[in-house]
């Protein structure tokens, strides 16, 4: 009898591929194992076995596989089912899901570039002959392709050798120049070496008798230390001894104290009272009960709790329940919120049981987490991760928590699969028969809609923990402020007063402006010309710090011109403002304050994001200016004031979700103020302070916001009332694009009638020299989504058979556009 396997390859082709195998191989192979296979003329790919059978392919002769790469499956049947769902729902191929789901170290192929890991300590005597040949070759040549390795070891199948070298950390792969993710460093102090004996200590205290402040610090260190070996952070010491930074610094300089750093996630905590799980207050308990009841009915459940209401502590209780049952737990977070703040907090409770899965992790670390989850080892019983952690090989998943479920960054826009992690998590929970909790202070309209329609369970916490008041919100009419000359630059007098007061009180301030750079537009005062990007249809943003004009879409940049390119006039002015300008103004207005900035430009470098957060947390800065990066679940203790520089730019965004997003963003950034006893203050500047969304933000009136947004979505047939699929066409030739989009939308209209909108150019109609055009298909809830998608795919097939259109890229975004 003949044997065959169906294999999925990590490429964007619809089909799976059938290869022939020997009867022996058929006995070994199980779905979910990897094999290396020849493809096309000379390529080798790593593929994943889907099925073993006896039916030869009809239209081609099956090739033989090269080699079996695994001893046991690395992907389980539930995962394959989940991938199928993702591929179908988001209209991409299984291969694309596979490429995105598996760590790329699992997917060696002939085109993969291999480099030597120059940091590795290699013991050459431990290498097998073939491994040594590759290692040696990499001493002479920086990069090798897989097929070149084949030539070197004179063998066709080299993937096993490369897998071994990867395991041993001797090589790495070119696509993987990921930054090594490094959790933040915390500054700690201990007594200097010379003072460790009792005698030396006594002498020290005597010598300090005339420096009462310093001796106070030393004594405090002792009291804090007690009998434990627990590290003492500088911040704790300053607070406890009631002393200033300068005093501690002086002691460090005298070498009486010694400063050291520990990676925050490497600190081992004594299991003292700090790390036992907190007792919930009555409101948290009520929420927990409601969640448990709803879980019993197997319902997806939404926890809506105002900022700082203690949602995280509720999650912690739930996690420990499932932990006791021996289940796996997945804690999903938006990428940017993966701060060590939260990780540390959970580690204090659950210690070693937590693994973090982060796109900034390097290839080995990600493979390690994958394998730990696969083998269900204790270290990975709880996984905290961004959206891609959905694809880990969970076996016995009991609970999924989607924190900040409203966050747009759960949606992957590029490349395919263009999936939404919250929605894909709900499907995953269903496949595992596990429970799933969505949490947010500002739930997405669709989740709240599902609560209203009885589809989801619901729990709520309406007040902050410890009776801390919600911040006091104030709207400032900026037009009025300008008219009455009560403004300096982009700061109203009200905002300036509040900043002043916070600074005097030694409290910190966050200033939010959702635009980076100095100004989004440079304009010639003589002729009105504004410099545009040559690759994209946008104005160039002025970055003063680098004296450049930059495109935020393709990265193009050029030196700041001294005169207008159109008329030669030197009178150039800027329009609008970004974080750089806010930073510059605030430095001029408050020359004594220490000011920092957090946006894409300041967080590019290695660990820059962590550094800024740590430094702000440790109060090395008074004022932090930033973009929406600041809004994500950060817990700063000493921030008393949040200033929103200009709310209007959020409201005017051309997107049916703009109002919802504005509400969420402003509420979240306001939530950073006053998280401890003293009531926080928020000032929102706007040219349009009577806008209903701003009113709803200041009164915390989520329900009215929801009702109005739902009304609008009903009117205009947007989700969650209708379903939508956005089809984007992309091509470098303007005419080809127009014709292609016309043809496609024509065919759609014949099928679906009036629910097809477009084709239309998006607000930015050209990016990286590719023109873009969108078509929107709105689908009534009563229609079958599956059938609609199949119809669209059918149309795409005919479209692709027209040779002129074949080079036009067709991109689908389902639900979240
Ligand atoms: P959220 O996640 O809703 O923003 P957090 O869980 O961060 O709120 O809680 C806000 C603050 O209140 C945190 O500093 C947290 O440690 C504290 N807190 C919350 N619940 C409790 C509790 N039951 N006991 C003691 N402290 C709590
Ligand atoms: Zn000009
Ligand atoms: Zn550009």
């Amino acid at each position: 009898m003949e044997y065959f396997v169906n294999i999925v390859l990590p490429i964007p082709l619809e089909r799976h591929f059938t290869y022939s195998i020997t009867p022996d191989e058929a006995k070994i192979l199980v779905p979910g194992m990897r094999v290396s296979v020849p493809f096309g003329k000379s390529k080798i790919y790593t593929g994943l076995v889907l099925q073993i059978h006896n039916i030869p392919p009809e239209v081609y002769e099956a090739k033989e596989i090269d080699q079996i790469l695994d001893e046991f499956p690395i992907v389980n049947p539930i995962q394959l089912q989940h991938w199928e769902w993702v591929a179908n729902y988001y209209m991409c191929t299984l291969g694309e899901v596979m490429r995105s789901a598996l760590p790329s170290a699992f997917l060696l192929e002939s085109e993969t570039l291999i480099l030597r890991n120059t940091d590795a300590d290699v013991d050459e005597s431990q290498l097998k002959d073939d491994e040594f040949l590759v290692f040696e070759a990499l001493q002479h040549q920086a990069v090798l392709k897989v097929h070149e390795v084949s030539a070197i070891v004179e063998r066709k199948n080299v993937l096993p050798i490369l897998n071994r070298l990867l395991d041993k950390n001797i090589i790495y792969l070119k696509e993987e120049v990921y930054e090594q993710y490094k959790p933040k460093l915390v500054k700690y102090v201990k007594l200097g070496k010379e003072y460790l004996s009792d005698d030396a200590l006594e002498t020290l205290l005597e010598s300090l008798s005339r420096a009462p402040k310093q001796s106070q610090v030393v004594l405090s260190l002792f009291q804090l230390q007690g009998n434990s070996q627990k590290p003492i952070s500088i911040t704790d010491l300053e607070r406890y001894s009631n002393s200033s930074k300068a005093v501690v610094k002086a002691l460090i300089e005298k070498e009486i104290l010694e400063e050291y750093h520990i990676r925050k996630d490497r600190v081992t905590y004594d299991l003292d009272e700090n790390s036992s799980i907190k007792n919930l207050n009555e409101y948290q308990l009520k929420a927990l009960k409601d969640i448990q009841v709803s879980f019993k009915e197997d319902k997806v459940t939404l926890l809506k709790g105002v900022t700082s209401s203690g949602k995280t502590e509720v999650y912690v209780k739930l996690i420990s329940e499932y932990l006791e049952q021996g289940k796996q737990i997945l804690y999903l977070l938006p990428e940017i919120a993966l701060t060590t703040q939260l990780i540390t907090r959970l580690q204090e409770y659950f210690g070693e049981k937590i693994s973090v899965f982060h796109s900034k992790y390097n290839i080995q670390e990600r493979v390690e987490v994958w394998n730990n989850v696969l083998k269900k080892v204790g270290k990975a019983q709880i996984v905290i991760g961004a959206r891609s952690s959905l694809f880990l090989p969970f076996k016995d998943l009991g609970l999924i928590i989607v924190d900040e479920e409203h966050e747009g960054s759960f949606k992957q826009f590029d490349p395919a699969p263009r999936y939404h992690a919250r929605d894909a998590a709900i499907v995953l929970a269903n496949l595992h028969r596990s429970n799933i909790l969505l949490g947010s202070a500002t739930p997405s309209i669709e989740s709240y809609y599902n609560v209203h329609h009885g589809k989801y369970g619901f729990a709520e916490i309406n007040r902050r923990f410890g009776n801390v008041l919600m911040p006091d919100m104030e709207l400032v009419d900026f037009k009025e402020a300008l008219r009455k000359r009560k403004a300096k630059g982009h700061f109203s007098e009200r905002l300036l007063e509040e900043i002043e007061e916070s600074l005097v009180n030694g409290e910190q301030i966050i200033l939010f402006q959702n635009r980076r750079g100095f100004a989004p537009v440079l304009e010639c005062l003589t002729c009105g010309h504004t410099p545009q990007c040559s690759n994209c249809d946008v104005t160039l943003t002025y970055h003063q710090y680098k004296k450049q004009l930059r495109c935020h879409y393709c990265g193009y940049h050029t030196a700041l011109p001294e005169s207008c390119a159109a008329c030669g006039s030197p009178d150039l002015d800027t329009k609008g403002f970004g974080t750089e300008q806010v930073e510059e103004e605030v430095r001029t207005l408050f020359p004594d304050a220490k000011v920092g900035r957090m946006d894409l430009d300041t967080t590019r470098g290695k660990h820059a994001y962590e550094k800024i957060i740590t430094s702000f947390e440790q109060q090395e800065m008074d004022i932090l200016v930033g973009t929406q990066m600041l809004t994500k679940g950060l817990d700063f203790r000493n921030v008393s004031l949040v200033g929103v520089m200009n709310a209007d730019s959020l409201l005017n965004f051309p997107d049916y979700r703009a109002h919802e997003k504005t509400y969420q963003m402003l509420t979240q950034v306001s939530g950073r103020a006053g998280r401890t006893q003293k009531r926080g203050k928020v000032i929102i500047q706007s040219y349009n302070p009577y806008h209903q969304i701003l009113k709803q933000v200041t009164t915390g009136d989520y329900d009215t916001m929801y009702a109005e947004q739902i009304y609008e979505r009903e009117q205009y047939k947007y989700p969650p009332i209708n379903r939508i699929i956005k089809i984007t066409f992309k091509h470098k030739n303007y005419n080809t694009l127009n014709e292609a989009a016309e043809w496609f939308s024509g065919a759609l209209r014949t099928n679906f009638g009036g629910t097809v909108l477009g084709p239309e150019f998006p607000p930015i109609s050209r990016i990286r020299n590719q023109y873009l055009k969108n078509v929107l298909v709105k689908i009534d809830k009563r229609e079958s989504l599956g059938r609609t998608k199949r119809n669209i795919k059918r149309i795409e097939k005919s479209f692709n058979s027209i040779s002129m259109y074949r080079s036009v890229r067709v991109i689908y975004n389902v639900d979240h556009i």
Side-chain angles (χ1 to χ4, degrees):
M1 189 177 306
E2 285 187 295
Y3 288 91
F4 299 94
V5 273
N6 288 351
I7 284 172
V8 55
L9 295 178
I11 49 179
L13 292 175
E14 287 296 336
R15 296 172 301 132
H16 53 248
F17 298 87
T18 305
Y19 285 84
S20 86
I21 47 173
T22 65
D24 282 340
E25 286 169 333
K27 267 184 232 145
I28 303 171
L29 279 174
V30 180
M33 281 189 187
R34 289 174 303 157
V35 289
S36 63
V37 296
F39 187 79
K41 279 205 196 82
S42 61
K43 286 205 170 110
I44 300 170
Y45 276 121
T46 298
L48 200 69
V49 175
L50 292 175
Q51 205 188 0
I52 296 122
H53 58 85
N54 307 106
I55 308 155
E58 280 173 17
V59 289
Y60 56 94
E61 174 134 14
K63 290 187 192 169
E64 288 169 21
I65 65 165
D66 276 347
Q67 189 138 19
I68 299 175
L69 297 174
D70 292 312
E71 284 166 35
F72 48 84
I74 57 150
V75 168
N76 64 44
I78 291 187
Q79 281 177 288
L80 289 175
Q81 262 181 294
H82 189 234
W83 294 5
E84 287 279 359
W85 180 85
V86 171
N88 276 328
Y89 193 84
Y90 295 104
M91 303 176 78
C92 65
T93 70
L94 195 59
E96 286 171 312
V97 182
M98 170 187 176
R99 181 173 285 289
S100 176
L102 290 179
S104 44
F106 284 160
L107 291 175
L108 290 175
E109 58 186 51
S110 46
E111 300 303 303
T112 307
L113 298 178
I114 293 147
L115 291 88
R116 188 164 71 93
N117 178 5
T118 45
D119 292 341
D121 261 336
V122 180
D123 179 356
E124 294 175 16
S125 66
Q126 294 296 312
L127 298 179
K128 295 191 180 171
D129 288 351
D130 50 9
E131 293 171 1
F132 181 75
L133 285 175
V134 180
F135 174 69
E136 200 190 22
L138 282 169
Q139 317 262 3
H140 305 297
Q141 197 173 337
V143 186
L144 287 175
K145 281 197 175 171
V146 170
H147 66 83
E148 292 170 325
V149 175
S150 281
I152 291 165
V153 297
E154 295 176 350
R155 247 167 68 188
K156 208 170 74 177
N157 304 324
V158 294
L159 299 196
I161 307 175
L162 295 176
N163 280 330
R164 272 187 266 130
L165 287 169
L166 270 173
D167 278 347
K168 292 181 182 167
N169 223 342
I170 291 169
I171 58 168
Y172 67 96
L173 309 181
K174 177 65 191 243
E175 315 94 297
E176 291 291 330
V177 258
Y178 281 93
E179 287 181 8
Q180 182 103 16
Y181 166 79
K182 197 160 150 213
K184 76 176 180 192
L185 294 171
V186 177
K187 291 184 197 161
Y188 291 95
V189 270
K190 57 186 178 193
L191 206 56
K193 282 191 268 318
E194 287 168 37
Y195 304 99
L196 287 181
S197 74
D198 287 351
D199 286 351
L201 191 61
E202 214 166 291
T203 329
L204 168 66
L205 285 173
E206 253 164 50
S207 74
L208 284 181
S209 61
R210 256 166 288 138
K213 279 190 187 159
Q214 294 188 2
S215 84
Q216 175 63 28
V217 170
V218 174
L219 284 172
S220 300
L221 182 67
F222 272 95
Q223 281 156 354
L224 273 174
Q225 191 80 67
N227 290 324
S228 73
Q229 290 303 310
K230 191 169 68 180
I232 311 283
S233 76
I234 291 195
T235 337
D236 281 348
L237 182 61
E238 281 166 9
R239 205 173 297 155
Y240 190 81
S241 62
N242 227 336
S243 62
S244 69
K245 277 201 178 8
V247 181
V248 178
K249 207 169 150 213
L251 285 165
I252 293 172
E253 270 161 16
K254 284 195 200 161
E255 293 183 1
I256 293 172
L257 297 184
E258 191 184 316
E259 184 183 31
Y260 64 109
H261 301 247
I262 312 184
R263 268 178 63 157
K264 195 145 184 191
D265 68 341
R266 288 283 165 84
V267 183
T268 45
Y269 290 91
D270 312 336
L271 287 173
D272 58 10
E273 63 271 76
N274 287 332
S275 48
S276 63
I277 290 175
K278 295 190 171 75
N279 288 321
L280 300 185
N281 68 17
E282 55 179 308
Y283 309 100
Q284 289 169 313
L285 276 177
K286 169 82 170 62
L288 179 67
K289 275 233 172 69
D290 291 346
I291 293 166
Q292 285 161 332
V293 169
S294 164
F295 278 180
K296 284 237 165 67
E297 298 169 19
D298 287 329
K299 274 187 166 173
V300 178
T301 306
L302 174 70
L303 170 62
K304 176 170 179 281
V306 295
T307 53
S308 205
S309 58
K311 294 184 290 298
T312 316
E313 302 300 329
V314 176
Y315 304 151
V316 165
K317 279 274 189 220
L318 282 169
I319 292 172
S320 55
E321 264 177 43
Y322 287 85
L323 210 52
E324 272 167 31
Q325 299 167 21
K327 298 279 191 186
Q328 291 173 315
I329 295 130
L330 171 62
Y331 192 126
L332 274 181
L333 271 168
E335 183 79 31
I336 193 96
L338 272 181
T339 60
T340 38
Q341 276 193 336
L342 179 90
I343 295 168
T344 311
R345 213 163 135 190
L346 296 179
Q347 249 152 1
E348 281 185 42
Y349 295 131
F350 303 115
E352 305 279 277
K353 296 202 175 69
I354 294 182
S355 286
V356 183
F357 194 71
H358 195 289
S359 70
K360 281 194 176 167
Y361 270 10
N362 69 22
I363 186 165
Q364 271 80 18
E365 287 170 300
R366 275 184 289 161
V367 168
E368 202 180 302
V369 177
W370 185 284
N371 288 332
N372 286 341
V373 174
L374 184 68
K375 292 178 204 139
K376 215 189 156 195
V377 298
K379 249 202 303 205
Q381 210 180 336
I382 307 169
V383 176
I384 308 181
R387 57 177 184 247
S388 58
S389 53
L390 270 179
F391 295 117
L392 287 166
F394 296 103
K395 252 195 195 130
D396 191 12
L397 194 59
L399 174 68
I400 304 178
I401 290 169
V402 186
D403 197 4
E404 313 285 357
E405 67 89 30
H406 64 278
E407 260 295 323
S409 59
F410 279 126
K411 169 74 199 289
Q412 171 153 317
F413 282 99
D414 253 327
R418 299 182 170 81
Y419 66 105
H420 195 289
R422 177 196 60 221
D423 300 347
I426 291 172
V427 173
L428 185 70
N430 201 8
L431 291 171
H432 278 276
R433 312 205 148 280
S434 59
N435 289 123
I436 176 162
L437 181 68
L438 317 179
S440 174
T442 51
S444 62
I445 296 281
E446 50 268 57
S447 293
Y448 207 55
Y449 179 85
N450 284 327
V451 170
H452 266 227
H453 288 74
K455 216 172 135 192
Y456 290 179
F458 186 59
E460 191 171 24
I461 313 177
N462 277 326
R463 57 179 78 204
R464 288 184 150 184
F465 182 80
N467 290 324
V468 172
L469 290 171
M470 293 304 286
D472 170 28
M473 307 254 222
E474 183 177 325
L475 285 168
V476 170
D477 185 339
F478 202 71
K479 202 162 39 175
E480 186 78 359
L482 282 179
R483 201 174 56 79
K484 293 192 175 153
R485 297 173 178 261
K486 289 189 166 178
K488 283 187 191 150
H490 296 93
F491 290 79
S492 64
E493 240 170 41
R494 276 299 296 133
L495 183 52
L496 291 174
E497 282 161 19
E498 291 292 337
I499 295 177
E500 185 76 55
E501 190 184 324
S502 293
L503 288 175
V504 169
N505 292 336
E507 293 152 355
Q508 290 171 290
I509 298 143
I510 285 178
L511 296 176
F512 172 70
Q513 170 64 359
N514 207 29
R515 193 164 239 164
R516 63 193 168 91
F518 189 84
V521 181
L522 190 71
E523 193 187 43
C524 168
L525 291 178
T526 311
C527 76
H529 171 79
T530 60
Q532 309 274 322
C533 177
S534 50
N535 311 317
C536 313
D537 174 28
V538 289
T539 58
L540 293 170
T541 299
Y542 171 37
H543 285 245
Q544 188 180 55
Y545 181 69
K546 289 195 162 164
K547 299 209 172 17
Q548 281 178 342
L549 296 178
R550 302 191 71 98
C551 171
H552 288 180
Y553 289 84
C554 72
Y556 168 83
H557 52 88
T558 166
L560 181 71
E562 287 181 358
S563 56
C564 172
C567 75
S569 156
D571 293 331
L572 303 177
D573 199 7
T574 59
K575 264 169 118 178
F577 67 106
T579 43
E580 264 190 18
Q581 194 166 159
V582 177
E583 183 192 1
E584 186 189 88
E585 285 184 8
V586 85
R587 280 185 197 281
T588 320
L589 290 163
F590 301 96
D592 295 332
K594 279 165 281 159
V595 183
R597 171 159 59 91
M598 185 158 85
D599 54 29
L600 208 57
D601 298 313
T602 61
T603 52
R604 256 185 244 279
K606 268 196 165 179
H607 325 310
Y609 179 72
E610 296 293 340
K611 270 190 206 146
I612 295 174
I613 289 182
T614 308
S615 144
F616 193 57
E617 213 171 44
Q618 300 194 347
Q619 299 181 30
E620 292 162 6
M621 279 177 227
D622 303 308
I623 303 176
L624 184 57
V625 179
T627 55
Q628 55 165 334
M629 282 187 174
L630 288 171
T631 61
K632 320 284 172 180
L634 295 167
D635 191 15
F636 299 118
R637 312 310 298 171
N638 193 41
V639 172
S640 63
L641 173 66
V642 168
V644 175
M645 300 305 298
N646 171 14
D648 308 285
S649 61
L650 298 170
L651 286 165
N652 299 333
F653 211 71
D655 171 358
Y656 74 94
R657 287 177 204 269
H659 287 181
E660 175 190 357
K661 283 187 188 157
T662 304
Y663 183 92
Q664 289 160 341
M665 214 177 268
L666 292 181
T667 306
Q668 295 285 350
V669 73
S670 304
R672 303 312 119 214
R675 291 174 73 93
T676 43
Q677 281 316 312
K678 194 178 158 199
R679 189 172 188 197
K681 176 90 191 171
V682 177
I683 295 219
I684 299 176
Q685 302 188 138
S686 165
Y687 282 88
N688 192 2
Y690 303 103
H691 194 290
Q692 85 272 17
I693 285 286
L694 298 184
K695 233 190 280 154
Q696 288 151 8
V697 169
T698 49
T699 52
D701 191 356
Y702 179 90
D703 284 322
T704 306
M705 184 280 292
Y706 170 78
E708 283 185 12
Q709 293 308 308
I710 282 291
Y711 176 77
E712 285 195 6
R713 307 236 179 137
E714 266 163 4
Q715 293 294 303
Y716 301 106
K717 298 196 182 342
Y718 276 115
I721 313 297
N722 277 47
R723 296 181 172 278
I724 45 173
I725 298 172
K726 184 172 81 177
I727 311 174
T728 303
F729 301 90
K730 203 166 162 183
H731 199 265
K732 60 180 189 306
N733 183 299
Y734 183 80
N735 291 328
T736 309
L737 176 84
N738 275 327
E739 276 181 46
E742 265 327 311
W743 188 97
F744 205 114
S745 59
L748 287 170
R749 269 201 188 89
T750 323
N751 262 274
F752 307 113
T755 48
V756 179
L757 302 181
E760 252 178 68
F761 286 110
I764 294 158
S765 61
R766 189 175 51 116
I767 294 178
R768 294 173 194 271
N769 284 320
Q770 301 267 341
Y771 290 95
L772 303 170
K773 222 161 182 184
N774 289 333
V775 170
L776 206 58
V777 183
K778 294 185 176 173
I779 305 152
D780 195 281
K781 272 262 164 87
R782 285 168 305 226
E783 288 172 44
S784 150
L785 190 61
R787 212 182 53 217
T788 308
K789 286 176 187 164
R790 281 193 296 279
N791 276 336
I792 295 175
K793 280 282 185 185
R794 211 169 29 78
I795 292 170
E796 188 188 346
K797 255 207 185 114
S798 326
F799 176 84
N800 280 331
S801 66
I802 303 169
S803 63
M804 185 193 160
Y805 299 155
R806 205 167 293 146
S807 56
V808 176
R809 282 199 53 204
V810 181
I811 297 162
Y812 299 104
N813 276 287
V814 179
D815 294 343
H816 300 266
I817 61 170

